[in-house]
């Protein structure tokens, strides 16, 4: 009798090694400590979120084009912003700039529910398809101007903006719980400071973390 193979043949993810290297050589070496962030990024198939043909570059230490003149942030920036949010499993988060949906997937792994806004319809629909096909059911998508936040779902435990604004939009500050954090790049069109604002009973504490370069946040409380 022919002996059957004991183990089922599982389709191997060809990018598993590249992803593990990204976590070790970029994120851990870069100072990311939050084990939940590292675990999420070791799991999520980043190569599915870049433009077709760019998969092999998707785990390199750089941002990449995702269409419509927009970019997916480099892995280290996604990790840093996720860590700075201090996400708890019970959190409801707001994201401005869905883009490829990759950062959205990281948030969806770490919190209870993500509300994400993208101004470009094609990108939002594409991200929606990708996240559903990856099995995420704790994300709600909206096409529109994220500088105004999402008043119907506010307040949020944390807010992340992945496009650069000239000033911190007041609407976003208003939609944070006490103790909640807003992580946002603020500055000129060429270069921004990554800011972390924490809402306190008295107002807001502000901390500058690093320099960065994001695409423009375009909207009523962003760039015109
Ligand atoms: N986190 C995304 C980054 C995408 S780039 C990723 O990892 O892929 C930033 C995105 O912000 C772009 O898709 C851009 O269209 C979007 N954006 C710019 N201004 C916006 C606004 N006011 N509201 C919502 N999305 C906005």
């Amino acid at each position: 009798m022919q002996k059957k193979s004991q183990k089922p043949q599982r389709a191997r993810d060809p990018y598993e090694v590249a992803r593990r290297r990204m976590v070790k050589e970029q994120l851990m070496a870069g100072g990311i400590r939050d084990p939940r962030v590292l675990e999420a990024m070791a799991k999520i198939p980043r190569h599915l979120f870049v433009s077709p043909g760019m998969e092999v570059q998707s785990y390199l230490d750089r941002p990449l084009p995702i269409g419509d003149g927009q970019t997916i942030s480099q892995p280290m920036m996604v990790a840093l912003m996720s860590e700075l949010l201090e996400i708890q499993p019970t959190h409801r988060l707001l994201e401005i700039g869905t883009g490829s949906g990759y950062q959205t997937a990281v948030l969806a792994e770490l919190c209870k529910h993500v509300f994400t806004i993208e101004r470009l319809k094609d990108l939002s629909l594409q991200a929606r398809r990708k996240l559903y096909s990856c099995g995420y059911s704790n994300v709600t998508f909206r096409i529109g101007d994220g500088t105004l936040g999402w008043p119907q779902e506010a307040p949020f435990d944390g807010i992340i903006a992945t496009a650069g604004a000239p000033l911190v939009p007041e609407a976003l500050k208003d939609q944070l719980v006490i103790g909640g954090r807003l992580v946002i790049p603020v500055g000129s069109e060429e270069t921004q400071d990554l800011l972390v604002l924490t809402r306190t009973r008295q107002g807001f504490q502000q901390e500058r973390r690093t320099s960065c370069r994001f695409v423009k946040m375009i909207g009523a409380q962003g760039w015109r």
Side-chain angles (χ1 to χ4, degrees):
M1 204 173 89
Q2 212 180 344
K3 213 173 163 192
K4 266 204 184 149
S5 153
Q6 295 285 306
K7 282 190 191 152
Q9 287 289 317
R10 220 189 301 147
R12 274 188 66 85
D13 177 349
Y15 293 101
E16 206 181 304
V17 174
R19 195 155 56 236
R20 243 184 283 134
R21 279 188 65 178
M22 170 193 83
V23 169
K24 199 166 159 216
E25 294 171 14
Q26 295 173 44
L27 311 186
M28 293 174 79
I32 300 300
R33 292 282 168 267
D34 186 336
R36 295 178 69 233
V37 171
L38 296 170
E39 222 173 277
M41 291 183 66
K43 175 178 164 188
I44 298 166
R46 181 172 162 91
H47 58 278
L48 300 182
F49 291 86
V50 300
S51 298
M54 305 217 92
E55 290 87 349
V56 287
Q57 295 178 59
S58 64
Y59 294 98
L60 301 179
D61 184 18
R62 63 173 72 141
L64 289 171
I66 54 173
D68 276 344
Q70 309 302 323
T71 52
I72 178 171
S73 303
Q74 78 194 85
M76 185 59 198
M77 186 53 71
V78 174
L80 177 62
M81 293 176 89
S82 304
E83 186 169 75
L84 290 172
L85 275 171
E86 297 186 2
I87 303 168
Q88 300 298 319
T90 53
H91 279 177
R92 294 166 73 255
L93 302 177
L94 174 66
E95 178 188 40
I96 316 305
T98 315
S100 67
Y102 177 68
Q103 172 79 70
T104 319
V106 175
L107 302 176
E109 281 285 337
L110 301 174
C111 77
K112 184 164 177 222
H113 201 95
V114 186
F115 296 87
T116 184
I117 309 176
E118 169 58 54
R119 60 183 285 275
L120 299 174
K121 186 178 171 193
D122 288 353
L123 285 179
S124 178
L125 295 178
Q126 193 175 295
R128 202 175 302 206
R129 278 195 299 275
K130 288 180 180 177
L131 281 149
Y132 286 152
S133 75
C134 287
Y136 295 103
S137 53
N138 60 339
V139 182
T140 309
F141 297 83
R142 180 167 173 176
I143 297 161
D145 179 6
T147 66
L148 302 173
W150 197 324
Q152 299 83 349
E153 294 294 347
F156 300 98
D157 299 299
I159 301 178
I160 176 175
T162 62
L167 293 167
V168 181
E170 285 299 319
L172 300 185
K173 291 164 73 175
D174 289 343
Q175 292 176 29
L176 266 185
V177 300
I178 305 285
R181 301 181 133 218
L182 165 59
V183 178
I184 181 169
V186 175
S188 68
E189 293 179 33
E190 288 77 34
T191 172
Q192 302 97 34
D193 291 326
L194 185 64
L195 302 183
V196 183
L197 279 82
T198 308
R199 187 166 201 175
T200 66
R201 292 198 184 281
Q202 291 75 37
F204 288 87
Q205 263 173 14
Q206 185 174 308
E207 197 188 334
R208 179 195 171 276
R209 286 309 295 247
T210 181
S211 305
C212 52
R213 185 179 182 150
F214 279 82
V215 300
K216 280 196 283 187
M217 184 183 287
I218 298 167
Q221 295 188 24
W223 296 98
R224 295 295 170 147

